[in-house]
Amino acid sequence: MVFLSEPLEKAPFSVKTRDLSVVAKARKVKKHEYPWPEDPDPNVKGGVLTHLSHFKPLKGKSKPVTLDFEKPLVALEKKIIDVRKMANETGLDFSDQIASLENKYQQALKDLYTHLTPIQRVNIARHPNRPTFLDHIFSITEKFVELHGDRAGYDDPAIVTGIGTIDGRRYMFIGHQKGRNTKENIMRNFGMPTPHGYRKALRMMYYADHHGFPIVTFIDTPGAFADLKSEELGQGEAIAHNLRTMFGLKVPIVSIVIGEGGSGGALAIGCANKLLMLENAVFYVASPEACAAILWKTAKAAPKAAEKLKITGPELCKLQVADGIIPEPLGGAHADPSWTSQQIKNAINEAMDELNKMDTEELLKHRMLKFRKIGGFQEGVPVDPIRKVNMKKKEEPVAGKTPVIELEYEVEKLKKQISKATESSSKPTGDHLMHPVLMDRIEKLSDEFNKGLPNAPNYTSLKYKLDMLKEFSKAKSNLEKKSKGEELKLDINKKLKEVMDQPEMKKKMQALKAEVQKSGASSAADLDDGTKQSISKLKKEIELELANVLKSMDLNVEIVRAKELIDQDLKAKVESLKEETNKKIENLMKSSDLKNTTKLLKLEVAKAGKTPDAALKNKIEALEQQIKQKLSAAISSSEIKGKHEELQAEIKALECDGGLNGSLKNDDLRETSSKYDESRVEINLGANRSFT
């Protein structure tokens, strides 16, 4: 046995003894192979960023996997390989046959992948060689730094998070990571996160929100890991916390389904402003196999379940769950991963350009409305008889009481009948609006309602509160009207003062005052026509200015109405004066004194005939003059003349102010004036003669 007194500090080293020698060599450690170029960052010595992810490309090509529905293509592919092999061995030219077979293969591939069934898309989404989250990230980002841990002592490898840049813009990337082989799948737990993974994602969301990084999430999971330990650690709470938090983040969020998105495990990082899906990705609440096992008691019904669940991209876009589809090459994303990654990059840039234009409030509202609009409702659709058998029967109404729904229906029906009867009746009255039977029905319903109302619980207290509320509402409305009226009055006065204080308006007013003073008129009636026109013109200018100002206060209609009311009022006064004058004259003509004089005049006229002599002519003229004097004296002594003078003064004043719009004619006033100024009365004297 050999004892070494000194530590092994140097390597290699050797110890020689008589019979034994020991040699030790330090093992060379292989450096990590990174998928980036040798010098990705010139600012870092050595070029390699040692803190980057240890994820690296696979050494060899992945083993090709043929899906069941792709087997017809394998036969064509085998033929092409055999023909090429034969051409190489024999040296003959089979280029035409090879080109024909290749065209046939491409056409068959196109036909197959343009008419995929939902279950076939599910199988493509689960393809073992399908590019994973990190495969896409290293293809689309210039730099990517993976961030680990949930700050609670755990780091779930099924969810990967990190900061990366696309075209110089920084994003927070969060995604489910599946393995590319059995060893990786076991390490990544087949892309099924535990609560630690969701809490890590939550921490990165808070981090991105704090620093203002837009968030891009990649969904590719069959669902959250549903073992006993995960449930004990709060799997449901972790998912629910993520859902609530994502709706309140103030940065744009874009989610991309790159494989399969299963249930709450996918939704925990999928509450985004935009949800995009690869062409052959699926997004479901339960896998087709699980759904088939529940509904049809066998997993063999998975194709039927996949069709009914509407889980593919086109179907989800129709339902407005997904916002867009990212194309894949023929054969699926695994046929050309780099091209697929480029399409994802373009989609991210396009979505972020749109979302970056929104402010924080619009962004949050957009995210909320995206999920609020999902779903639809159908009413009035007849129920399938087979389903109706298993449905719960309606409860029978209690005897003696009319159901509320029936009452509402009856009331609505009666309302429609009343409205129809009202429209059809030219002169609607209370007794002939509807049929007596309908009236009886209304009264019956009204009595039933009024009788049942006092029996309701708390009827007295509620009625008292309702009365109090009505009183308070009335008082409040009166107070608001009063306060609004006062505010409006102050605003109008303020606007009027602003108009009158304008320099141009002041200048015109001063010029007009000087003109009036120069004319030496003591009243409006003494002004000459030129001054009156100037006053009228200035008033119209002021009114126009005020109208423009008050139009903004919705008062222009009231101004127009005020003018109309003035004209209507004056017209009414003139008509009233006419009627009063006519009545006065009629009463005078009925008096005994005037009747006797009129009869005497008629006799004298009859005696005179067609050629009266001078004495009779003088007597007739004297009687006519006597009648005129009596009528003139009676009208002049009444109140009519005073009313006429007041009305004439009022019209002259308005004409001076420019207040009349010309609808009141001067003829009306002249006609009224003549009735008491000259007392015109036409008396029929017979024999085709009359005297006025």
Side-chain angles (χ1 to χ4, degrees):
M1 193 171 185
V2 178
F3 295 92
L4 299 176
S5 59
E6 293 181 4
L8 299 175
E9 292 179 355
K10 297 179 181 179
F13 71 92
S14 63
V15 178
K16 292 183 180 180
T17 61
R18 188 181 297 176
D19 300 323
L20 180 66
S21 67
V22 179
V23 178
K25 289 185 179 179
R27 183 173 61 86
K28 287 184 179 179
V29 181
K30 195 175 182 182
K31 289 183 179 179
H32 289 297
E33 293 178 9
Y34 295 95
W36 301 280
E38 290 182 3
D39 193 11
D41 191 347
N43 299 320
V44 178
K45 262 191 173 182
V48 176
L49 305 177
T50 55
H51 57 279
L52 295 176
S53 172
H54 297 309
F55 181 86
K56 53 186 179 292
L58 293 172
K59 291 179 181 177
K61 273 191 173 184
S62 300
K63 187 179 177 182
V65 177
T66 304
L67 301 173
D68 290 339
F69 67 89
E70 291 179 325
K71 285 178 181 177
L73 296 173
V74 175
L76 279 172
E77 199 171 358
K78 192 176 179 183
K79 280 184 184 178
I80 293 167
I81 292 167
D82 290 343
V83 171
R84 279 179 179 165
K85 189 177 179 182
M86 192 184 295
N88 291 333
E89 287 175 356
T90 59
L92 299 172
D93 185 14
F94 291 102
S95 56
D96 293 341
Q97 289 85 344
I98 292 169
S100 175
L101 286 170
E102 283 180 345
N103 288 337
K104 194 175 179 182
Y105 176 81
Q106 288 297 326
Q107 188 61 41
L109 184 69
K110 187 177 180 181
D111 291 342
L112 181 64
Y113 273 86
T114 50
H115 300 91
L116 289 170
T117 62
I119 195 66
Q120 288 172 347
R121 290 191 189 275
V122 171
N123 292 329
I124 294 169
R126 293 172 177 170
H127 199 285
N129 298 335
R130 194 170 177 84
T132 63
F133 165 56
L134 286 173
D135 287 319
H136 289 304
I137 285 297
F138 293 131
S139 295
I140 66 177
T141 58
E142 293 92 33
K143 291 181 188 177
F144 177 75
V145 180
E146 186 177 345
L147 302 174
H148 297 271
D150 63 349
R151 293 284 172 89
Y154 298 96
D155 183 27
D156 186 3
I159 284 189
V160 176
T161 60
I163 301 173
T165 57
I166 297 177
D167 296 337
R169 291 197 282 191
R170 191 175 286 105
Y171 300 100
M172 173 63 75
F173 293 99
I174 301 169
H176 300 104
Q177 176 64 26
K178 284 184 176 179
R180 297 165 293 176
N181 50 44
T182 307
K183 185 179 177 182
E184 280 190 13
N185 267 323
I186 292 167
M187 192 265 286
R188 300 284 183 183
N189 198 26
F190 295 87
M192 295 185 290
T194 62
H196 314 309
Y198 292 121
R199 287 175 184 134
K200 175 167 77 170
L202 181 67
R203 181 173 81 86
M204 298 309 166
M205 288 175 198
Y206 281 130
Y207 182 85
D209 190 44
H210 177 73
H211 291 285
F213 300 154
I215 298 171
V216 182
T217 66
F218 286 74
I219 297 169
D220 187 15
T221 179
F225 194 44
D227 68 330
L228 181 62
K229 188 71 175 172
S230 294
E231 294 299 332
E232 288 173 354
L233 291 169
Q235 184 76 284
E237 183 274 338
I239 292 171
H241 199 167
N242 278 28
L243 296 177
R244 185 183 70 179
T245 303
M246 288 190 82
F247 280 106
L249 296 176
K250 299 172 184 175
V251 292
I253 306 174
V254 174
S255 291
I256 302 166
V257 186
I258 58 172
E260 56 179 337
S263 189
L267 203 60
I269 60 170
C271 297
N273 294 95
K274 293 276 186 182
L275 179 67
L276 308 174
M277 294 180 69
L278 285 179
E279 190 177 349
N280 296 316
V282 289
F283 197 53
Y284 49 72
V285 69
S287 66
E289 293 82 5
C291 180
I294 294 166
L295 296 180
W296 294 284
K297 311 302 180 187
T298 174
K300 290 181 180 178
K304 186 179 178 182
E307 189 177 348
K308 296 289 183 184
L309 283 168
K310 311 288 185 188
I311 58 178
T312 60
E315 292 288 350
L316 291 171
C317 281
K318 286 179 187 175
L319 296 171
Q320 296 185 329
V321 175
D323 298 298
I325 297 172
I326 301 170
E328 291 185 28
L330 291 175
H334 52 279
D336 193 350
S338 59
W339 187 86
T340 309
S341 298
Q342 190 60 38
Q343 298 306 309
I344 291 172
K345 181 180 178 180
N346 296 339
I348 291 171
N349 285 332
E350 187 179 338
M352 285 299 176
D353 288 340
E354 182 185 343
L355 295 174
N356 283 330
K357 293 175 184 176
M358 301 181 188
D359 57 22
T360 304
E361 191 176 345
E362 287 177 332
L363 205 63
L364 293 171
K365 191 175 180 182
H366 178 271
R367 198 177 306 149
M368 182 268 291
L369 290 175
K370 172 184 164 42
F371 287 86
R372 287 289 290 172
K373 72 182 178 183
I374 292 173
F377 304 93
Q378 287 184 330
E379 292 181 3
V381 179
V383 182
D384 186 6
I386 299 168
R387 287 182 61 197
K388 199 170 184 178
V389 173
N390 299 322
M391 290 174 71
K392 186 180 177 182
K393 292 181 180 179
K394 289 182 180 178
E395 293 180 1
E396 291 295 329
V398 181
K401 287 187 178 180
T402 309
V404 177
I405 297 170
E406 189 179 333
L407 278 172
E408 288 178 356
Y409 173 73
E410 288 291 336
V411 170
E412 289 297 325
K413 193 175 176 182
L414 288 170
K415 280 182 181 176
K416 287 178 183 177
Q417 288 174 352
I418 290 166
S419 63
K420 283 181 182 177
T422 308
E423 287 171 5
S424 61
S425 174
S426 58
K427 292 182 179 179
T429 59
D431 298 330
H432 301 288
L433 275 175
M434 64 186 72
H435 199 272
V437 178
L438 294 176
M439 290 292 291
D440 293 339
R441 185 66 176 160
I442 290 170
E443 287 175 7
K444 187 180 175 183
L445 287 170
S446 180
D447 291 341
E448 187 179 344
F449 179 76
N450 291 329
K451 285 176 183 177
L453 193 62
N455 298 328
N458 301 329
Y459 170 74
T460 310
S461 61
L462 289 172
K463 190 174 183 304
Y464 172 73
K465 288 177 182 177
L466 181 63
D467 293 338
M468 290 292 291
L469 185 63
K470 284 179 180 177
E471 288 180 14
F472 285 137
S473 300
K474 191 176 179 182
K476 187 183 177 184
S477 63
N478 291 337
L479 191 63
E480 285 178 354
K481 282 179 184 177
K482 190 176 178 182
S483 61
K484 282 180 181 176
E486 292 294 331
E487 287 175 8
L488 189 61
K489 190 175 178 182
L490 289 171
D491 288 343
I492 291 170
N493 289 335
K494 188 178 177 182
K495 298 288 183 184
L496 180 60
K497 191 178 178 184
E498 287 176 3
V499 170
M500 298 306 293
D501 288 344
Q502 289 177 3
E504 290 182 7
M505 202 62 70
K506 277 186 175 181
K507 192 175 180 182
K508 288 178 182 178
M509 288 288 289
Q510 287 172 0
L512 192 60
K513 282 180 183 177
E515 189 178 343
V516 171
Q517 287 175 0
K518 190 177 179 181
S519 66
S522 58
S523 63
D526 299 335
L527 292 171
D528 58 351
D529 292 339
T531 309
K532 284 181 181 179
Q533 285 178 0
S534 300
I535 292 169
S536 178
K537 187 179 178 183
L538 182 61
K539 180 154 186 181
K540 282 179 182 177
E541 286 181 13
I542 294 169
E543 281 182 357
L544 189 62
E545 287 288 332
L546 275 174
N548 291 333
V549 170
L550 295 177
K551 267 182 185 179
S552 60
M553 301 167 70
D554 296 329
L555 295 173
N556 55 327
V557 176
E558 295 300 326
I559 294 165
V560 174
R561 282 183 183 169
K563 284 189 174 184
E564 291 174 358
L565 286 170
I566 290 167
D567 291 350
Q568 288 172 6
D569 187 37
L570 287 172
K571 281 182 179 180
K573 285 180 180 178
V574 170
E575 291 297 326
S576 175
L577 191 59
K578 283 181 183 179
E579 288 176 8
E580 195 174 344
T581 307
N582 289 333
K583 283 180 182 178
K584 188 73 175 173
I585 292 169
E586 284 174 9
N587 291 334
L588 285 169
M589 291 299 295
K590 288 176 184 177
S591 65
S592 58
D593 186 21
L594 205 59
K595 268 186 181 180
N596 294 331
T597 311
T598 307
K599 283 179 183 179
L600 186 61
L601 180 61
K602 284 182 179 180
L603 289 170
E604 293 297 331
V605 170
K607 283 179 187 179
K610 290 184 180 180
T611 55
D613 55 6
L616 283 172
K617 198 173 184 181
N618 291 333
K619 197 173 183 180
I620 288 168
E621 286 176 0
L623 287 169
E624 286 177 355
Q625 191 64 33
Q626 191 179 351
I627 291 169
K628 282 182 181 181
Q629 284 174 0
K630 284 180 181 180
L631 286 171
S632 180
I635 294 173
S636 298
S637 61
S638 66
E639 298 174 356
I640 295 172
K641 191 168 183 178
K643 287 183 180 179
H644 174 265
E645 287 173 356
E646 288 176 7
L647 188 59
Q648 198 170 21
E650 188 178 345
I651 291 171
K652 281 183 179 178
L654 285 169
E655 283 177 348
C656 290
D657 293 340
L660 291 177
N661 59 5
S663 61
L664 188 66
K665 304 294 183 184
N666 288 333
D667 297 341
D668 297 335
L669 207 61
R670 287 189 192 120
E671 187 179 334
T672 309
S673 175
S674 66
K675 282 186 178 173
Y676 60 82
D677 281 347
E678 300 196 8
S679 308
R680 289 189 62 186
V681 180
E682 187 173 336
I683 301 169
N684 187 13
L685 301 175
N688 297 326
R689 291 189 59 181
S690 64
F691 126 76
T692 304

